[in-house]
Amino acid sequence: MADKKKKILKIILLLSFFGVMVALYSLYEFYFGSDSSLCNINSTFSCTAVYKSGYSQIAGIPVALFGVMGYALIAMVAHWGINEKIKNYQNIILGLVGFSLVFSAYMASISALVIKVWCPTCITSYIVVLSLFASSLILRKS
């Protein structure tokens, strides 16, 4: 495997680990956050307001938990790619990240158009997903 691909995979791995940390913090905020949390800046930027909305869960499972699992899965595939355990890692990563991007766009549109409140940790996660998507496109083309 070319050094360039390994470097990109390591970037994807690091971004995924950061995503796991952001999602874990979001999960903490979901269960234990308070109005005085650092995640609540004002009435426009408030994790608590978003988590109290009906859009923070799917079938009773916090969206943040899906984020933890998704980022962990992307990290696992990147790790396997670095160690050459699987051959089709580029397509798998692009598929996982592509799904994450679509889901993130859906959640961002709900924040903007329905709830009209933004969650700072969610915004951070959107940035991580965009960075992962860009990295996975570069990986795919290299």
Side-chain angles (χ1 to χ4, degrees):
M1 174 187 308
D3 284 339
K4 182 179 180 182
K5 284 187 179 188
K6 278 196 176 186
K7 286 179 184 177
I8 297 167
L9 283 168
K10 287 178 183 179
I11 290 168
I12 290 171
L13 187 62
L14 288 172
L15 285 167
S16 298
F17 282 141
F18 182 67
V20 166
M21 291 188 296
V22 171
L24 283 172
Y25 181 75
S26 293
L27 197 58
Y28 172 83
E29 284 291 325
F30 177 85
Y31 284 114
F32 307 110
S34 67
D35 290 336
S36 62
S37 167
L38 292 174
C39 198
N40 298 312
I41 299 167
N42 57 35
S43 62
T44 304
F45 294 96
S46 170
C47 292
T48 301
V50 172
Y51 297 147
K52 286 183 179 179
S53 77
Y55 297 98
S56 63
Q57 299 179 50
I58 298 172
I61 301 169
V63 170
L65 183 57
F66 289 110
V68 171
M69 293 185 299
Y71 285 125
L73 185 57
I74 293 165
M76 186 171 61
V77 175
H79 176 71
W80 288 341
I82 291 168
N83 293 306
E84 300 181 19
K85 301 283 184 190
I86 56 175
K87 293 184 180 183
N88 203 15
Y89 62 88
Q90 295 166 315
N91 291 331
I92 296 169
I93 289 172
L94 186 59
L96 290 169
V97 175
F99 176 80
S100 300
L101 182 66
V102 170
F103 186 75
S104 293
Y106 169 73
M107 295 305 291
S109 68
I110 290 199
S111 283
L113 304 172
V114 179
I115 305 171
K116 298 186 178 163
V117 176
W118 291 92
C119 163
T121 57
C122 301
I123 293 169
T124 304
S125 185
Y126 303 154
I127 293 167
V128 172
V129 169
L130 282 170
S131 302
L132 281 167
F133 187 69
S135 298
S136 65
L137 286 177
I138 293 167
L139 177 67
R140 182 84 166 84
K141 291 183 180 188
S142 64

